[in-house]
Amino acid sequence: MERLGNYESDLNLKATELRLGLPGRDEPEKQTTTTGVIIRSNKRASPEISQEYSRCNSNNSSVSDAANDDQDSAPPSKVQVVGWPPIRSYRKNTLQQKKNESDSAGMYVKVSMDGAPYLRKIDLKVYKCYPELLEALENMFKLTIGEYSEREGYNGSDYAPTYEDKDGDWMLVGDVPFDMFITSCKRLRIMKGSEARGLGSCV
Amino acid sequence: MNYCPDEVMEHVFDFITSHKDRNAVSLVCKSWYQIERSSRQKVFIGNCYAISPERVIERFPELKSLTLKGKPHFADFNLVPHDWGGFVYPWIEALANHRVGLEELRLKRMVVSDESLELLSKSFVNFKSLVLVSCEGFTTDGLAAIAANCRYLRELDLQENEVEDHKGHWISCFPESCTSLVSLNFACLKGEINLTALERLVARSPNLKSLRLNRAVPLEALQRILMRAPQLVDLGTGSFLHDPASEAYSKLKATLLKCNSIRTLSGFLEVSPRCLPAIYTVCQNLTSLNLSYAPGIHGNDMIKLIQHCRKLERLWILDCIGDKGLGVVASTCKELQELRVFPSDPYGVGNAAVTEEGLVAISAGCPKLHSLLYFCQQMTNAALITVAKNCSNFTRFRLCILDPTKPDPVTLQPLDEGFGAIVQSCKRLRRLSLSGLLTDQVFLYIGMYAEQLEMLSIAFAGDSDKGMLYVLNGCKNLRKLEIRDSPFGNKALSDDVGKYETMRSLWMSSCEVTLEGCKALAKNMPRLNVEIINEDDEVAPSSDDRQIVGKMYLYRTLVGPRKDAPWYVEIL
């Protein structure tokens, strides 16, 4: 038995040992799950396992910190454990497909502002409603766009957001339902000054 | 005992319909066994490997309806390899060979080939009903055979199956003479469907009560179909996407006004929230609503919709409804009995999820709630204790915290006390799924209080063998136990081996049982199949008995080791 021990340490048999679990990790020590749980899978190099994951001590609340992370910082890398969360593959695949469909397209449109030296681009798919979009534009160009009203367009500022639709016409942002706007908007233009006010007060 | 002719007993047994009761009746005495077996028409087999088709056929000569379940529950979550087993073909073959008058076949988690479907369609003249849940292995060609050959088909219900779609011609295979359809559900099919054939089929099916369409059926087609079938009770829409200003949409709205029998609504596989107002009138009478496949509907639109659903008894929804939305459910749906909240973004950072607040609100507002499946961002002991106080009627309680070992975020304690409160309060609890940080203590509570518990799912929980032992020793009615990634080993496994013959099955994966423990168990219990599943082909099975077993599935059986296991399954 001793010989075997020496033999093992010489040849580092551990590295070539056949065992269940991800390579490069010791046989899991499963004590004290209150302080740590090692998640394992039998599948080697499964695409679903992105990294090893060791749980923090419950005193160290980095778990809850991670969950409360500021939106600005990178989201905590989520380890995908096989079979967790426990939802049927059919459901998971269906949701994933829908997500891919809506993510992959990405709807980047050019945004020009009168007087600005260069254009910008934004992804329309990111916004769920007009206020979000307008806020983003306001931040991007450091201006105020004002309140939309059906009657008067955008009052309260010198700027009016407009877009070119599929027919090539320049339309005021906000008249049609947001989903419809998303599908018909080809580019955005933030009009300024008298031209903008003119657009709002005609019709 | 007074003399009572067999015919009288048979008549009495006609009123006994639940298979549990029927099984109990058959154990009373030989005479009752005989009477019962010769009159039983519906047979339920919870594990297709527990018995052989021949023995079932022999015992129940009047067999008309058969329900079979194949793979273990964790197969739903990719923990069981695809070709592990659960093939239905041998069953259909045996039924055909013995000329059973089969009328109904219900399968769950089984492998169904096109050949089986074809054989099924040609072997049973009076075949009326096929229900496939979470099955796989067939294509639309198999469906074409069913459509073409089952003359008196009433029900074709496909729920969440993985079907290889060879496009929509199968629906054209229903002959013109087929007018008997009552229920048709093909929502899980991914491919195109022949719309004209579908509409004509609906038009000649006056008894159609339940229709669930797939995504390929656009809104205009839905409108035409509803014109033909205003009597529908259960509707699953396909695509619900259109310009609300269009004529097609107004037509749909008008047609829906005539469909005042709809009580169950699902689908919206593709949806524009602007189109939802069309269903508001339908919502008023709904008892069951499934929006869990409609990720296009966001919180506020969902809330507006829910506010119309005052009679809802069952609700399946995505977590983008948010805690606020659940509050609206709580104040609107006073008749709610079953709630399922699914994750819309299972691997996401958790912006759109629900928390313990939503659940507490529901428990306070919905006194009739007894069945819950809840995927959430976090849970606290305090919340669970409150829920337990508000709702002591739970029969099914399944909680899934997306982060599997997350403690109570407020106290940083394990969730033992919370779940303890649930099992103590809910005396009729039959099914329980745990998650979150959990120690052996929770199992002590479960063993002590969960007397009616039949199914328990454990993941990433417990500290030692004691945990599992508390459950095995305490839960007298336990039928199915499934455990993953928990530190239970041979000591717990082998403590009371007789217990497993009182249960349907035990699943343990990524635990601490070794091959040695499993072999010892198998040796002592010939009426159990102990299966070791080693897909990782690097591992030579049985090389070292001290090695920890990756996946073990054991179940009671009357027919010994099965012969259809793939090479990587070792049956001890």
Side-chain angles (χ1 to χ4, degrees):
Chain A
M1 278 321 260
E2 281 168 1
R3 265 187 59 206
L4 199 62
N6 291 337
Y7 195 55
E8 276 188 350
S9 60
D10 287 345
L11 286 188
N12 192 14
L13 278 181
K14 252 204 151 6
T16 55
E17 183 187 18
L18 292 179
R19 53 189 165 85
L20 300 172
L22 292 176
R25 191 152 44 81
D26 276 343
E27 205 58 39
E29 290 106 277
K30 272 290 185 71
Q31 64 273 61
T32 58
T33 40
T34 42
T35 51
V37 168
I38 299 174
I39 294 161
R40 34 190 191 128
S41 150
N42 293 334
K43 294 212 176 125
R44 201 161 51 91
S46 155
E48 286 169 286
I49 299 291
S50 30
Q51 351 172 339
E52 206 173 308
Y53 188 53
S54 54
R55 275 332 207 110
C56 57
N57 192 304
S58 48
N59 292 334
N60 167 8
S61 54
S62 68
V63 171
S64 25
D65 282 354
N68 294 333
D69 246 355
D70 209 333
Q71 307 294 31
D72 288 347
S73 57
S77 46
K78 265 300 192 197
V79 174
Q80 291 179 17
V81 178
V82 173
W84 196 271
I87 50 178
R88 274 193 188 158
S89 338
Y90 172 82
R91 182 178 288 279
K92 203 160 51 165
N93 294 339
T94 310
L95 276 179
Q96 197 55 43
Q97 185 196 19
K98 290 196 185 147
K99 216 169 173 285
N100 288 342
E101 278 175 17
S102 57
D103 280 350
S104 59
M107 235 184 217
Y108 281 93
V109 296
K110 290 183 190 170
V111 189
S112 61
M113 183 168 97
D114 297 354
Y118 47 78
L119 279 62
R120 302 296 302 271
K121 263 201 165 171
I122 57 168
D123 180 0
L124 291 181
K125 279 252 153 84
V126 164
Y127 308 103
K128 310 231 183 335
C129 58
Y130 282 123
E132 277 181 33
L133 171 63
L134 294 175
E135 193 181 325
L137 291 174
E138 286 178 331
N139 285 336
M140 192 181 256
F141 293 98
K142 309 278 181 286
L143 48 79
T144 327
I145 291 181
E147 284 290 301
Y148 168 79
S149 77
E150 214 179 308
R151 233 169 156 255
E152 317 231 334
Y154 289 86
N155 256 354
S157 93
D158 279 351
Y159 297 96
T162 63
Y163 69 101
E164 184 182 2
D165 73 357
K166 283 186 180 144
D167 301 326
D169 298 318
W170 284 95
M171 319 286 294
L172 184 69
V173 169
D175 286 333
V176 300
F178 193 69
D179 325 347
M180 207 189 275
F181 159 74
I182 295 272
T183 51
S184 48
C185 170
K186 286 175 57 195
R187 57 185 295 169
L188 283 160
R189 176 182 163 202
I190 302 185
M191 282 188 187
K192 182 180 164 176
S194 53
E195 221 185 325
R197 281 191 288 275
L199 193 68
S201 57
C202 82
V203 177
Chain B
M1 184 143 98
N2 290 332
Y3 175 69
C4 209
D6 285 1
E7 298 79 31
V8 173
M9 291 318 301
E10 198 176 313
H11 184 64
V12 170
F13 290 170
D14 274 350
F15 294 98
I16 301 172
T17 46
S18 104
H19 68 268
K20 268 189 200 161
D21 290 341
R22 283 233 151 204
N23 290 346
V25 154
S26 68
L27 291 174
V28 168
C29 62
K30 281 203 175 126
S31 148
W32 280 29
Y33 173 87
Q34 288 302 333
I35 300 169
E36 195 283 317
R37 74 170 259 262
S38 59
S39 59
R40 186 163 358 179
Q41 296 186 340
K42 284 193 180 172
V43 176
F44 170 85
I45 307 284
N47 174 5
C48 65
Y49 289 121
I51 190 72
S52 71
E54 287 77 19
R55 282 178 68 167
V56 175
I57 295 167
E58 196 194 359
R59 179 173 168 187
F60 301 110
E62 292 300 309
L63 179 60
K64 290 199 167 36
S65 163
L66 181 64
T67 302
L68 284 172
K69 292 190 181 180
K71 299 184 194 180
H73 176 232
F74 275 177
D76 279 350
F77 320 131
N78 287 338
L79 288 177
V80 176
H82 276 285
D83 48 351
W84 168 87
F87 308 104
V88 78
Y89 190 87
W91 286 83
I92 298 180
E93 195 181 22
L95 290 162
N97 289 343
H98 288 86
R99 309 213 191 299
V100 172
L102 193 70
E103 294 184 12
E104 179 178 281
L105 186 63
R106 311 169 74 93
L107 305 176
K108 187 168 184 180
R109 265 181 240 117
M110 294 201 73
V111 177
V112 181
S113 60
D114 282 345
E115 288 76 30
S116 340
L117 290 177
E118 203 173 317
L119 182 60
L120 177 69
S121 73
K122 293 186 174 150
S123 311
F124 310 104
V125 172
N126 285 324
F127 192 75
K128 295 192 171 68
S129 166
L130 180 63
V131 180
L132 302 177
V133 180
S134 276
C135 296
E136 52 166 354
F138 61 103
T139 76
T140 44
D141 295 345
L143 298 178
I146 297 285
N149 302 324
C150 299
R151 297 239 228 103
Y152 305 112
L153 194 69
R154 288 205 203 137
E155 180 175 22
L156 179 59
D157 185 358
L158 307 171
Q159 297 176 31
E160 299 190 335
N161 302 291
E162 300 282 359
V163 186
E164 196 179 302
D165 202 317
H166 294 164
K167 306 297 181 275
H169 114 97
W170 67 275
I171 200 112
S172 326
C173 294
F174 282 102
E176 286 300 313
S177 56
C178 175
T179 57
S180 47
L181 271 182
V182 174
S183 165
L184 178 62
N185 172 7
F186 59 93
C188 64
L189 296 185
K190 304 266 196 300
E192 297 303 310
I193 192 108
N194 184 328
L195 294 174
T196 320
L198 173 62
E199 288 168 38
R200 297 219 326 238
L201 178 62
V202 171
R204 65 176 186 277
S205 304
N207 297 322
L208 195 65
K209 290 278 185 295
S210 168
L211 179 63
R212 297 190 186 187
L213 310 168
N214 77 345
R215 206 164 160 209
V217 180
L219 192 127
E220 300 94 333
L222 172 65
Q223 187 271 327
R224 290 193 295 270
I225 287 169
L226 289 175
M227 284 289 281
R228 309 279 201 178
Q231 77 282 6
L232 282 179
V233 170
D234 174 347
L235 172 66
T237 68
S239 167
F240 210 77
L241 201 61
H242 219 281
D243 179 356
S246 66
E247 198 189 317
Y249 180 76
S250 328
K251 269 169 110 171
L252 176 69
K253 222 171 160 179
T255 307
L256 278 167
L257 283 175
K258 297 200 201 115
C259 299
N260 42 29
S261 301
I262 298 179
R263 297 288 173 271
T264 298
L265 188 60
S266 61
F268 304 97
L269 307 173
E270 205 172 59
V271 57
S272 163
R274 287 271 179 295
C275 294
L276 289 176
I279 61 166
Y280 286 169
T281 39
V282 172
C283 287
Q284 286 168 16
N285 288 320
L286 278 186
T287 54
S288 172
L289 177 62
N290 181 354
L291 292 176
S292 65
Y293 282 104
I297 309 180
H298 296 291
N300 286 332
D301 295 309
M302 245 191 244
I303 289 174
K304 272 194 253 171
L305 188 66
I306 297 285
Q307 281 167 334
H308 288 87
C309 304
R310 305 203 141 265
K311 294 192 185 163
L312 222 51
E313 293 170 17
R314 185 202 291 174
L315 176 63
W316 290 24
I317 202 142
L318 288 172
D319 62 3
C320 32
I321 194 175
D323 287 331
K324 185 164 150 238
L326 289 177
V328 174
V329 172
S331 52
T332 313
C333 309
K334 295 303 183 188
E335 303 297 315
L336 198 66
Q337 297 179 27
E338 176 182 329
L339 174 67
R340 296 196 189 190
V341 181
F342 293 96
S344 50
D345 193 8
Y347 305 112
V349 190
N351 294 323
V354 295
T355 70
E356 74 275 10
E357 281 180 33
L359 184 59
V360 170
I362 292 282
S363 72
C366 306
K368 298 188 182 176
L369 191 68
H370 65 79
S371 173
L372 179 76
L373 172 61
Y374 196 75
F375 285 83
C376 58
Q377 201 51 26
Q378 63 182 45
M379 186 53 57
T380 64
N381 282 312
L384 284 174
I385 290 169
T386 306
V387 169
K389 273 206 208 104
N390 291 340
C391 271
S392 56
N393 289 328
F394 278 114
T395 53
R396 291 186 205 86
F397 191 89
R398 294 193 279 164
L399 188 70
C400 176
I401 303 171
L402 293 171
D403 212 339
T405 54
K406 190 166 181 164
D408 179 330
V410 172
T411 63
L412 299 180
Q413 292 299 303
L415 292 177
D416 303 332
E417 298 306 309
F419 279 105
I422 293 286
V423 294
Q424 198 176 356
S425 160
C426 303
K427 309 226 184 301
R428 285 191 294 261
L429 194 67
R430 293 197 317 260
R431 183 169 180 184
L432 177 64
S433 295
L434 307 168
S435 62
L437 187 63
L438 295 162
T439 72
D440 285 343
Q441 184 69 11
V442 73
F443 300 112
L444 174 67
Y445 291 140
I446 292 173
M448 239 198 308
Y449 296 114
E451 289 174 7
Q452 299 299 317
L453 196 64
E454 295 177 5
M455 181 168 178
L456 179 61
S457 306
I458 301 171
F460 306 100
D463 309 311
S464 73
D465 285 327
K466 278 205 231 148
M468 187 168 161
L469 285 169
Y470 289 141
V471 171
L472 290 174
N473 293 332
C475 299
K476 299 278 171 260
N477 286 302
L478 196 63
R479 291 190 301 117
K480 285 182 280 185
L481 180 58
E482 47 187 25
I483 307 173
R484 62 167 293 184
D485 295 89
S486 301
F488 306 135
N490 295 337
K491 185 162 177 290
L493 180 69
S494 329
D495 180 71
D496 176 10
V497 295
K499 174 84 177 168
Y500 304 125
E501 278 194 3
T502 69
M503 290 168 55
R504 185 188 297 175
S505 64
L506 167 67
W507 169 281
M508 291 181 76
S509 60
S510 304
C511 296
E512 288 175 6
V513 292
T514 67
L515 199 50
E516 189 178 0
C518 295
K519 280 185 174 173
L521 175 61
K523 193 151 173 243
N524 289 331
M525 304 295 292
R527 283 195 302 207
L528 293 181
N529 278 353
V530 181
E531 298 195 6
I532 308 295
I533 302 170
N534 294 312
E535 318 144 69
D536 194 347
D537 52 8
E538 277 189 14
V539 182
S542 316
S543 55
D544 178 0
D545 281 6
R546 286 166 301 158
Q547 144 194 304
I548 286 187
V549 159
K551 293 175 185 170
M552 179 205 74
Y553 178 52
L554 72 80
Y555 51 90
R556 67 180 175 191
T557 178
L558 292 175
V559 290
R562 61 188 173 107
K563 303 200 176 40
D564 61 359
W567 64 271
Y568 53 78
V569 170
E570 191 186 347
I571 306 181
L572 301 176

